[in-house]
Coordinates of all heavy atoms in Angstrom, one line a residue:
M1 N -15.1 9.1 -10.7 CA -13.7 9.3 -11.2 C -12.9 8.1 -10.9 O -12.8 7.6 -9.7 CB -13.1 10.5 -10.5 CG -11.7 10.8 -10.9 SD -11.0 12.3 -10.3 CE -10.5 11.8 -8.7
S2 N -12.3 7.5 -11.9 CA -11.5 6.3 -11.7 C -10.1 6.6 -11.2 O -9.5 7.6 -11.7 CB -11.4 5.5 -13.0 OG -10.7 4.3 -12.8
Q3 N -9.6 5.9 -10.2 CA -8.3 6.1 -9.7 C -7.6 4.8 -9.3 O -8.3 3.8 -9.2 CB -8.3 7.1 -8.6 CG -9.1 6.8 -7.3 CD -9.0 7.9 -6.3 OE1 -8.0 8.5 -6.1 NE2 -10.1 8.0 -5.6
T4 N -6.3 4.9 -9.0 CA -5.6 3.7 -8.6 C -5.1 3.9 -7.1 O -4.6 4.9 -6.8 CB -4.4 3.6 -9.5 OG1 -4.8 3.4 -10.8 CG2 -3.5 2.3 -9.1
V5 N -5.4 2.9 -6.3 CA -4.9 2.8 -4.9 C -4.0 1.7 -4.8 O -4.3 0.6 -5.2 CB -6.1 2.7 -4.0 CG1 -5.7 2.7 -2.5 CG2 -7.2 3.7 -4.3
V6 N -2.8 2.0 -4.2 CA -1.8 0.9 -4.0 C -1.6 0.8 -2.5 O -1.3 1.7 -1.8 CB -0.5 1.3 -4.8 CG1 0.5 0.1 -4.6 CG2 -0.7 1.6 -6.2
L7 N -1.7 -0.5 -2.1 CA -1.5 -0.8 -0.6 C -0.4 -1.8 -0.4 O -0.2 -2.7 -1.2 CB -2.9 -1.4 -0.1 CG -4.1 -0.5 -0.2 CD1 -5.3 -1.3 0.3 CD2 -4.0 0.8 0.6
K8 N 0.1 -1.8 0.8 CA 1.0 -2.8 1.3 C 0.2 -3.6 2.3 O -0.3 -3.1 3.2 CB 2.3 -2.2 1.9 CG 3.2 -3.3 2.4 CD 4.6 -2.6 2.8 CE 5.6 -3.7 3.3 NZ 6.0 -4.6 2.3
V9 N 0.1 -4.9 2.0 CA -0.7 -5.8 2.8 C 0.1 -7.0 3.3 O 0.7 -7.6 2.4 CB -2.0 -6.3 2.0 CG1 -2.9 -7.1 2.9 CG2 -2.8 -5.1 1.4
G10 N 0.1 -7.2 4.6 CA 0.9 -8.3 5.1 C 0.3 -9.7 4.8 O -0.5 -10.2 5.6
M11 N 0.6 -10.2 3.6 CA 0.1 -11.5 3.2 C 1.2 -12.5 3.2 O 2.3 -12.2 2.7 CB -0.5 -11.4 1.8 CG -1.6 -10.4 1.7 SD -2.1 -10.2 -0.1 CE -0.7 -9.3 -0.8
S12 N 1.0 -13.7 3.7 CA 2.0 -14.7 3.7 C 1.7 -16.0 2.9 O 2.6 -16.9 2.8 CB 2.3 -15.1 5.2 OG 1.1 -15.6 5.8
C13 N 0.5 -16.1 2.4 CA 0.1 -17.4 1.7 C -1.1 -17.1 0.8 O -1.6 -16.0 0.8 CB -0.3 -18.4 2.7 SG -1.8 -18.1 3.7
Q14 N -1.5 -18.1 0.0 CA -2.6 -18.0 -0.9 C -3.9 -17.8 -0.2 O -4.8 -17.2 -0.7 CB -2.6 -19.2 -1.8 CG -1.5 -19.3 -2.9 CD -1.5 -18.0 -3.8 OE1 -2.6 -17.5 -4.2 NE2 -0.3 -17.5 -4.1
G15 N -4.0 -18.3 1.1 CA -5.2 -18.0 1.8 C -5.4 -16.5 2.1 O -6.5 -16.0 2.1
C16 N -4.3 -15.8 2.4 CA -4.3 -14.4 2.6 C -4.8 -13.7 1.3 O -5.6 -12.8 1.4 CB -2.9 -13.9 3.0 SG -2.3 -14.5 4.5
V17 N -4.2 -14.1 0.2 CA -4.6 -13.5 -1.1 C -6.1 -13.8 -1.3 O -6.8 -12.8 -1.8 CB -3.7 -14.2 -2.2 CG1 -4.3 -13.8 -3.6 CG2 -2.3 -13.8 -2.1
G18 N -6.6 -14.9 -1.0 CA -8.0 -15.2 -1.2 C -8.9 -14.3 -0.3 O -9.9 -13.9 -0.8
A19 N -8.4 -14.0 0.9 CA -9.2 -13.1 1.8 C -9.3 -11.7 1.1 O -10.4 -11.1 1.2 CB -8.6 -13.1 3.1
V20 N -8.2 -11.2 0.6 CA -8.2 -9.9 0.0 C -9.0 -9.9 -1.2 O -9.8 -9.0 -1.4 CB -6.7 -9.5 -0.3 CG1 -6.7 -8.2 -1.0 CG2 -5.9 -9.4 1.0
K21 N -9.0 -11.0 -2.1 CA -9.8 -11.0 -3.2 C -11.3 -11.0 -2.9 O -12.1 -10.3 -3.6 CB -9.5 -12.4 -4.0 CG -8.2 -12.3 -4.8 CD -8.1 -13.7 -5.6 CE -6.9 -13.7 -6.4 NZ -6.7 -14.9 -7.2
R22 N -11.7 -11.7 -1.8 CA -13.1 -11.8 -1.4 C -13.6 -10.4 -1.1 O -14.7 -10.0 -1.5 CB -13.3 -12.7 -0.2 CG -13.5 -14.1 -0.6 CD -14.0 -15.0 0.6 NE -13.0 -15.0 1.7 CZ -11.9 -15.7 1.7 NH1 -11.6 -16.5 0.7 NH2 -11.1 -15.7 2.8
V23 N -12.9 -9.6 -0.3 CA -13.4 -8.3 0.2 C -13.3 -7.3 -1.0 O -14.3 -6.5 -1.1 CB -12.6 -7.7 1.4 CG1 -12.8 -8.6 2.6 CG2 -11.2 -7.5 1.1
L24 N -12.3 -7.4 -1.9 CA -12.3 -6.5 -3.0 C -13.4 -6.8 -4.1 O -13.9 -5.9 -4.7 CB -10.9 -6.5 -3.7 CG -9.8 -5.8 -2.8 CD1 -8.4 -6.0 -3.6 CD2 -10.1 -4.4 -2.6
G25 N -13.7 -8.1 -4.2 CA -14.7 -8.5 -5.1 C -16.1 -8.0 -4.8 O -16.9 -7.8 -5.6
K26 N -16.3 -7.8 -3.5 CA -17.6 -7.3 -3.0 C -17.7 -5.8 -2.9 O -18.7 -5.2 -2.7 CB -17.8 -7.9 -1.6 CG -18.0 -9.4 -1.5 CD -18.2 -9.8 -0.1 CE -18.3 -11.3 0.0 NZ -18.4 -11.8 1.4
M27 N -16.5 -5.1 -3.0 CA -16.5 -3.7 -2.8 C -17.0 -3.0 -4.0 O -16.6 -3.2 -5.2 CB -15.0 -3.2 -2.5 CG -15.0 -1.8 -2.2 SD -13.3 -1.3 -1.7 CE -13.6 0.4 -1.3
E28 N -17.9 -2.0 -3.8 CA -18.6 -1.3 -4.8 C -17.5 -0.3 -5.5 O -16.8 0.3 -4.7 CB -19.7 -0.5 -4.3 CG -20.7 0.1 -5.3 CD -22.0 0.7 -4.7 OE1 -22.5 0.0 -3.8 OE2 -22.3 1.8 -5.1
G29 N -17.6 -0.2 -6.8 CA -16.7 0.8 -7.5 C -15.4 0.2 -7.9 O -14.7 0.8 -8.8
V30 N -15.0 -1.0 -7.5 CA -13.8 -1.7 -7.9 C -13.9 -2.2 -9.3 O -14.8 -3.0 -9.6 CB -13.3 -2.8 -6.9 CG1 -12.1 -3.5 -7.5 CG2 -13.1 -2.2 -5.5
E31 N -13.1 -1.7 -10.2 CA -13.1 -2.2 -11.6 C -12.1 -3.3 -11.8 O -12.4 -4.3 -12.5 CB -12.7 -1.0 -12.5 CG -13.8 0.1 -12.5 CD -13.3 1.4 -13.2 OE1 -12.2 1.4 -13.7 OE2 -14.1 2.3 -13.1
S32 N -10.9 -3.2 -11.2 CA -10.0 -4.3 -11.3 C -9.0 -4.2 -10.1 O -8.9 -3.2 -9.5 CB -9.2 -4.2 -12.6 OG -8.4 -3.1 -12.6
Y33 N -8.3 -5.3 -9.9 CA -7.3 -5.3 -8.8 C -6.2 -6.3 -9.2 O -6.4 -7.3 -9.9 CB -7.9 -5.6 -7.4 CG -8.7 -6.9 -7.3 CD1 -8.0 -8.1 -7.1 CD2 -10.0 -6.8 -7.5 CE1 -8.8 -9.3 -7.0 CE2 -10.8 -8.0 -7.3 CZ -10.1 -9.2 -7.1 OH -10.9 -10.4 -7.0
D34 N -5.0 -6.1 -8.7 CA -3.9 -7.0 -8.9 C -3.3 -7.2 -7.5 O -3.0 -6.3 -6.7 CB -2.8 -6.3 -9.8 CG -1.6 -7.2 -10.0 OD1 -1.8 -8.3 -10.5 OD2 -0.5 -6.9 -9.6
I35 N -3.0 -8.5 -7.2 CA -2.4 -8.8 -5.9 C -1.1 -9.5 -6.1 O -1.1 -10.6 -6.8 CB -3.4 -9.8 -5.1 CG1 -4.7 -9.0 -4.9 CG2 -2.8 -10.2 -3.8 CD1 -5.8 -9.9 -4.3
N36 N 0.0 -9.0 -5.6 CA 1.3 -9.5 -5.7 C 1.7 -10.0 -4.3 O 2.1 -9.2 -3.4 CB 2.3 -8.5 -6.3 CG 3.6 -9.0 -6.5 OD1 4.2 -9.8 -5.8 ND2 4.2 -8.6 -7.6
L37 N 1.7 -11.3 -4.1 CA 2.0 -11.9 -2.8 C 3.5 -11.7 -2.5 O 3.8 -11.4 -1.3 CB 1.7 -13.4 -2.8 CG 2.0 -14.2 -1.6 CD1 1.3 -13.7 -0.4 CD2 1.7 -15.7 -1.8
E38 N 4.3 -11.9 -3.4 CA 5.8 -11.7 -3.2 C 6.2 -10.4 -2.7 O 6.9 -10.2 -1.7 CB 6.6 -12.1 -4.5 CG 8.1 -12.2 -4.2 CD 8.8 -12.6 -5.5 OE1 8.4 -13.7 -6.0 OE2 9.7 -11.9 -6.0
E39 N 5.6 -9.3 -3.3 CA 5.9 -7.9 -2.9 C 4.9 -7.5 -1.8 O 5.1 -6.4 -1.3 CB 5.8 -7.0 -4.1 CG 6.8 -7.1 -5.1 CD 6.8 -6.1 -6.2 OE1 5.8 -5.3 -6.2 OE2 7.7 -6.0 -7.0
Q40 N 3.9 -8.3 -1.5 CA 2.8 -7.9 -0.5 C 2.2 -6.5 -1.0 O 2.0 -5.6 -0.2 CB 3.4 -7.8 0.9 CG 3.9 -9.1 1.4 CD 4.2 -9.1 2.9 OE1 3.9 -8.2 3.6 NE2 4.7 -10.3 3.3
K41 N 1.9 -6.5 -2.3 CA 1.4 -5.3 -2.9 C 0.0 -5.5 -3.5 O -0.1 -6.5 -4.2 CB 2.4 -4.8 -4.0 CG 2.1 -3.5 -4.6 CD 3.2 -3.1 -5.5 CE 3.1 -1.7 -6.1 NZ 4.2 -1.4 -7.0
V42 N -0.9 -4.7 -3.2 CA -2.3 -4.8 -3.8 C -2.6 -3.5 -4.5 O -2.5 -2.4 -3.9 CB -3.3 -5.0 -2.7 CG1 -4.7 -5.0 -3.3 CG2 -3.0 -6.3 -1.9
T43 N -2.9 -3.6 -5.8 CA -3.2 -2.4 -6.6 C -4.7 -2.5 -7.0 O -5.1 -3.5 -7.6 CB -2.3 -2.4 -7.9 OG1 -1.0 -2.4 -7.5 CG2 -2.6 -1.1 -8.7
V44 N -5.5 -1.5 -6.7 CA -6.9 -1.5 -6.9 C -7.2 -0.3 -7.9 O -6.8 0.8 -7.6 CB -7.7 -1.3 -5.6 CG1 -9.2 -1.3 -5.9 CG2 -7.3 -2.4 -4.7
Q45 N -8.0 -0.6 -8.9 CA -8.4 0.5 -9.8 C -9.9 0.6 -9.8 O -10.6 -0.5 -9.8 CB -7.9 0.3 -11.2 CG -6.4 0.4 -11.3 CD -5.9 0.2 -12.7 OE1 -6.5 -0.4 -13.6 NE2 -4.7 0.7 -13.0
G46 N -10.4 1.8 -9.9 CA -11.9 1.9 -10.0 C -12.3 3.3 -9.4 O -11.5 4.1 -9.1
N47 N -13.6 3.4 -9.3 CA -14.3 4.6 -8.8 C -14.4 4.4 -7.2 O -15.5 4.1 -6.7 CB -15.6 4.8 -9.4 CG -16.2 6.1 -9.0 OD1 -15.6 7.0 -8.5 ND2 -17.5 6.2 -9.2
V48 N -13.2 4.5 -6.6 CA -13.2 4.2 -5.1 C -12.4 5.3 -4.4 O -11.6 6.0 -5.0 CB -12.4 2.9 -4.9 CG1 -13.3 1.7 -5.4 CG2 -11.1 2.8 -5.5
E49 N -12.6 5.4 -3.1 CA -11.9 6.3 -2.3 C -10.7 5.6 -1.6 O -11.0 4.5 -1.1 CB -12.8 6.9 -1.2 CG -13.8 7.9 -1.7 CD -13.2 9.1 -2.3 OE1 -12.2 9.6 -1.7 OE2 -13.8 9.6 -3.3
P50 N -9.5 6.1 -1.7 CA -8.4 5.4 -1.1 C -8.6 4.9 0.4 O -8.3 3.8 0.7 CB -7.2 6.4 -1.1 CG -7.6 7.3 -2.3 CD -9.1 7.4 -2.3
E51 N -9.2 5.8 1.2 CA -9.5 5.4 2.6 C -10.5 4.2 2.7 O -10.3 3.4 3.5 CB -10.0 6.6 3.4 CG -10.1 6.4 4.9 CD -8.8 6.0 5.6 OE1 -7.7 6.4 5.1 OE2 -8.9 5.3 6.6
A52 N -11.5 4.2 1.8 CA -12.4 3.1 1.8 C -11.8 1.8 1.4 O -12.0 0.8 2.0 CB -13.6 3.4 0.9
V53 N -10.9 1.8 0.5 CA -10.1 0.6 0.1 C -9.3 0.2 1.2 O -9.2 -1.0 1.6 CB -9.3 0.9 -1.2 CG1 -8.4 -0.3 -1.6 CG2 -10.2 1.3 -2.4
L54 N -8.5 1.1 1.9 CA -7.7 0.7 3.0 C -8.5 0.1 4.1 O -8.1 -1.0 4.6 CB -7.0 2.0 3.5 CG -6.1 1.8 4.7 CD1 -4.8 1.1 4.3 CD2 -5.8 3.1 5.4
Q55 N -9.7 0.7 4.5 CA -10.5 0.1 5.5 C -11.1 -1.3 5.1 O -11.1 -2.2 6.0 CB -11.6 1.1 5.8 CG -11.2 2.4 6.4 CD -10.5 2.2 7.8 OE1 -10.9 1.4 8.6 NE2 -9.4 3.0 8.0
T56 N -11.5 -1.4 3.9 CA -12.0 -2.7 3.4 C -11.0 -3.8 3.5 O -11.3 -4.9 4.0 CB -12.6 -2.6 2.0 OG1 -13.6 -1.6 2.0 CG2 -13.1 -3.9 1.5
V57 N -9.8 -3.5 3.0 CA -8.8 -4.6 3.1 C -8.3 -4.8 4.5 O -8.0 -6.0 4.9 CB -7.6 -4.2 2.2 CG1 -6.4 -5.2 2.3 CG2 -8.0 -4.1 0.7
S58 N -8.3 -3.8 5.3 CA -8.0 -4.0 6.8 C -8.9 -5.0 7.5 O -8.5 -5.6 8.4 CB -8.0 -2.6 7.5 OG -7.0 -1.8 7.0
K59 N -10.1 -5.1 7.0 CA -11.1 -6.0 7.6 C -10.7 -7.4 7.5 O -11.3 -8.3 8.2 CB -12.5 -5.8 7.0 CG -13.1 -4.4 7.4 CD -14.5 -4.2 6.7 CE -15.0 -2.9 7.1 NZ -16.3 -2.6 6.4
T60 N -9.7 -7.7 6.6 CA -9.3 -9.1 6.5 C -8.4 -9.5 7.7 O -8.1 -10.7 7.9 CB -8.4 -9.3 5.2 OG1 -7.3 -8.5 5.3 CG2 -9.2 -9.0 4.0
G61 N -8.0 -8.5 8.5 CA -7.1 -8.8 9.6 C -5.7 -8.7 9.3 O -4.8 -8.9 10.1
K62 N -5.4 -8.4 8.0 CA -4.0 -8.3 7.6 C -3.5 -6.8 7.8 O -4.3 -5.9 7.7 CB -3.8 -8.6 6.1 CG -4.5 -9.9 5.6 CD -3.8 -11.0 6.3 CE -4.6 -12.3 6.0 NZ -4.5 -13.3 7.0
K63 N -2.2 -6.7 8.2 CA -1.7 -5.4 8.4 C -1.7 -4.7 7.0 O -1.1 -5.2 6.0 CB -0.2 -5.5 8.9 CG 0.4 -4.1 9.2 CD 1.7 -4.3 9.8 CE 2.3 -2.8 10.0 NZ 3.7 -2.9 10.5
T64 N -2.3 -3.5 7.0 CA -2.5 -2.8 5.7 C -2.1 -1.4 5.8 O -2.4 -0.7 6.8 CB -4.0 -2.9 5.3 OG1 -4.5 -4.2 5.3 CG2 -4.3 -2.3 4.0
S65 N -1.4 -0.9 4.8 CA -1.0 0.6 4.8 C -0.9 1.0 3.4 O -0.9 0.1 2.5 CB 0.3 0.8 5.6 OG 1.4 0.0 4.9
Y66 N -0.8 2.3 3.2 CA -0.6 2.8 1.8 C 0.8 2.4 1.4 O 1.8 2.4 2.2 CB -0.8 4.3 1.7 CG -2.2 4.7 1.9 CD1 -2.6 5.4 3.1 CD2 -3.2 4.4 1.0 CE1 -3.9 5.7 3.3 CE2 -4.5 4.8 1.2 CZ -4.9 5.4 2.4 OH -6.2 5.8 2.6
W67 N 1.0 2.1 0.1 CA 2.3 1.7 -0.5 C 3.1 3.0 -0.5 O 2.7 4.0 -1.1 CB 2.1 1.1 -1.9 CG 3.4 0.6 -2.4 CD1 4.2 1.3 -3.3 CD2 3.9 -0.7 -2.2 NE1 5.3 0.4 -3.6 CE2 5.1 -0.8 -3.0 CE3 3.5 -1.8 -1.5 CZ2 5.9 -1.9 -3.0 CZ3 4.3 -3.0 -1.5 CH2 5.5 -3.0 -2.3
E68 N 4.3 2.9 0.0 CA 5.3 4.1 0.0 C 6.1 3.9 -1.2 O 6.9 3.0 -1.3 CB 6.1 4.1 1.2 CG 5.3 4.4 2.5 CD 4.7 5.7 2.6 OE1 5.3 6.7 2.0 OE2 3.6 5.9 3.1
E69 N 6.0 4.8 -2.2 CA 6.9 4.8 -3.4 C 8.3 5.1 -3.0 O 8.5 6.0 -2.2 CB 6.4 5.7 -4.5 CG 5.1 5.3 -5.1 CD 5.2 3.9 -5.8 OE1 6.2 3.6 -6.4 OE2 4.2 3.2 -5.8
A70 N 9.3 4.4 -3.6 CA 10.7 4.8 -3.3 C 11.0 6.1 -4.0 O 10.5 6.3 -5.1 CB 11.6 3.7 -3.9
P71 N 11.8 7.0 -3.4 CA 12.1 8.2 -4.0 C 13.0 8.0 -5.2 O 13.7 7.0 -5.3 CB 12.9 9.0 -2.9 CG 13.2 8.0 -1.9 CD 12.3 6.8 -2.0
A72 N 12.9 8.9 -6.2 CA 13.7 8.8 -7.4 C 15.2 9.0 -7.0 O 15.5 9.5 -6.0 CB 13.3 9.9 -8.4
K73 N 16.0 8.4 -7.9 CA 17.4 8.5 -7.6 C 17.9 9.9 -7.5 O 17.4 10.8 -8.2 CB 18.2 7.9 -8.8 CG 18.1 6.4 -8.9 CD 19.0 5.8 -10.0 CE 18.8 4.3 -10.0 NZ 19.6 3.7 -11.1
G74 N 18.7 10.2 -6.5 CA 19.2 11.5 -6.2 C 18.4 12.2 -5.1 O 18.8 13.2 -4.6
E75 N 17.3 11.7 -4.8 CA 16.5 12.3 -3.7 C 16.7 11.5 -2.4 O 16.9 10.3 -2.4 CB 15.0 12.2 -4.0 CG 14.5 13.0 -5.2 CD 13.0 12.9 -5.4 OE1 12.3 12.6 -4.4 OE2 12.6 13.2 -6.5
A76 N 16.8 12.3 -1.3 CA 17.0 11.7 0.0 C 15.7 11.1 0.5 O 14.6 11.7 0.2 CB 17.5 12.7 0.9
K77 N 15.8 10.0 1.2 CA 14.6 9.4 1.8 C 14.3 10.2 3.1 O 15.2 10.3 3.9 CB 14.8 7.9 2.1 CG 15.0 7.1 0.8 CD 15.2 5.7 1.2 CE 15.5 4.8 0.0 NZ 15.8 3.4 0.4
P78 N 13.1 10.6 3.3 CA 12.7 11.3 4.5 C 13.0 10.5 5.8 O 13.5 11.1 6.8 CB 11.2 11.6 4.4 CG 11.0 11.6 3.0 CD 12.0 10.6 2.4
A79 N 12.8 9.2 5.8 CA 13.0 8.4 6.9 C 14.5 8.4 7.3 O 14.9 8.4 8.5 CB 12.6 7.0 6.7
E80 N 15.4 8.4 6.3 CA 16.8 8.5 6.6 C 17.2 9.8 7.2 O 18.0 9.9 8.1 CB 17.6 8.2 5.3 CG 17.6 6.8 4.8 CD 18.3 6.6 3.5 OE1 18.9 7.5 3.0 OE2 18.3 5.4 3.1
E81 N 16.6 10.9 6.7 CA 16.9 12.2 7.2 C 16.6 12.3 8.7 O 17.3 12.9 9.4 CB 16.2 13.3 6.4 CG 16.7 13.4 5.0 CD 15.9 14.4 4.2 OE1 14.9 14.9 4.7 OE2 16.2 14.7 3.0
E82 N 15.4 11.7 9.0 CA 15.0 11.8 10.4 C 15.8 11.0 11.3 O 16.0 11.4 12.5 CB 13.5 11.3 10.5 CG 12.5 12.2 9.8 CD 11.1 11.5 9.8 OE1 10.9 10.5 10.5 OE2 10.3 12.0 9.1
S83 N 16.5 10.0 10.8 CA 17.3 9.1 11.7 C 18.7 9.6 11.9 O 19.5 9.1 12.6 CB 17.3 7.7 11.2 OG 17.9 7.6 9.9
K84 N 19.1 10.6 11.1 CA 20.5 11.1 11.2 C 20.6 11.8 12.6 O 19.7 12.6 13.0 CB 20.8 12.1 10.1 CG 20.9 11.5 8.7 CD 21.2 12.5 7.7 CE 21.3 11.8 6.3 NZ 21.5 12.9 5.3
P85 N 21.8 11.7 13.2 CA 22.0 12.4 14.5 C 22.0 13.9 14.2 O 22.5 14.4 13.2 CB 23.3 11.8 15.0 CG 23.9 11.1 13.9 CD 22.9 10.8 12.8
T86 N 21.5 14.6 15.2 CA 21.5 16.1 15.1 C 22.5 16.6 16.1 O 23.0 15.9 17.0 CB 20.1 16.6 15.4 OG1 19.7 16.2 16.6 CG2 19.1 16.2 14.3
G87 N 22.7 17.9 16.0 CA 23.6 18.5 17.0 C 25.1 18.5 16.5 O 26.0 18.6 17.4
A88 N 25.4 18.2 15.3 CA 26.8 18.2 14.8 C 27.3 19.6 14.9 O 26.6 20.5 14.6 CB 26.8 17.6 13.4
V89 N 28.5 19.7 15.3 CA 29.1 21.0 15.5 C 30.2 21.2 14.4 O 31.1 20.4 14.2 CB 29.8 21.2 16.9 CG1 30.5 22.5 17.0 CG2 28.8 20.9 17.9
A90 N 30.1 22.4 13.7 CA 31.1 22.7 12.7 C 32.2 23.6 13.4 O 31.8 24.5 14.1 CB 30.5 23.4 11.5
I91 N 33.4 23.2 13.1 CA 34.5 24.0 13.7 C 35.1 24.9 12.6 O 35.6 24.3 11.6 CB 35.6 23.1 14.4 CG1 34.9 22.3 15.4 CG2 36.7 23.9 14.9 CD1 35.8 21.2 16.0
A92 N 35.2 26.2 12.9 CA 35.7 27.1 11.8 C 37.2 27.4 12.1 O 37.6 27.4 13.1 CB 34.9 28.4 11.8

């Protein structure tokens, strides 16, 4: 089953991009990939498991995590909700 995996990868130069290209080029099941150095975003398409892609790219030594999509307009970001102070008291 073909699927898309999007990762955030800490890349700072073309050498970093080359390292990611090397490991993805050797990975079984990868049909295509796109590497955006400016956004530090790697998009992989193919018959791959997301965890396997994450582990493979992590082997480059670059900080790697799943890409967090920004919530749609009007939706609160969970991280902001967690950082709000709690214990506010309403006075009636």
Side-chain angles (χ1 to χ4, degrees):
M1 179 176 81
S2 187
Q3 61 180 324
T4 301
V5 181
V6 184
L7 301 174
K8 181 168 182 65
V9 182
M11 301 174 291
S12 59
C13 65
Q14 287 301 320
C16 298
V17 172
V20 174
K21 283 183 178 181
R22 272 191 302 281
V23 296
L24 290 177
K26 294 178 184 178
M27 188 174 179
E28 195 171 311
V30 173
E31 295 167 4
S32 67
Y33 55 85
D34 179 64
I35 301 173
N36 184 321
L37 176 59
E38 189 174 303
E39 291 185 351
Q40 298 191 4
K41 185 175 186 178
V42 176
T43 306
V44 180
Q45 293 184 338
N47 186 17
V48 292
E49 291 295 323
E51 186 61 28
V53 176
L54 179 76
Q55 293 299 321
T56 297
V57 175
S58 293
K59 289 178 183 175
T60 63
K62 310 298 173 209
K63 183 175 179 185
T64 307
S65 61
Y66 292 110
W67 187 266
E68 296 293 329
E69 291 297 328
K73 289 184 179 179
E75 290 183 24
K77 294 180 184 175
E80 288 179 2
E81 290 176 356
E82 291 174 12
S83 64
K84 289 181 182 175
T86 56
V89 178
I91 301 174

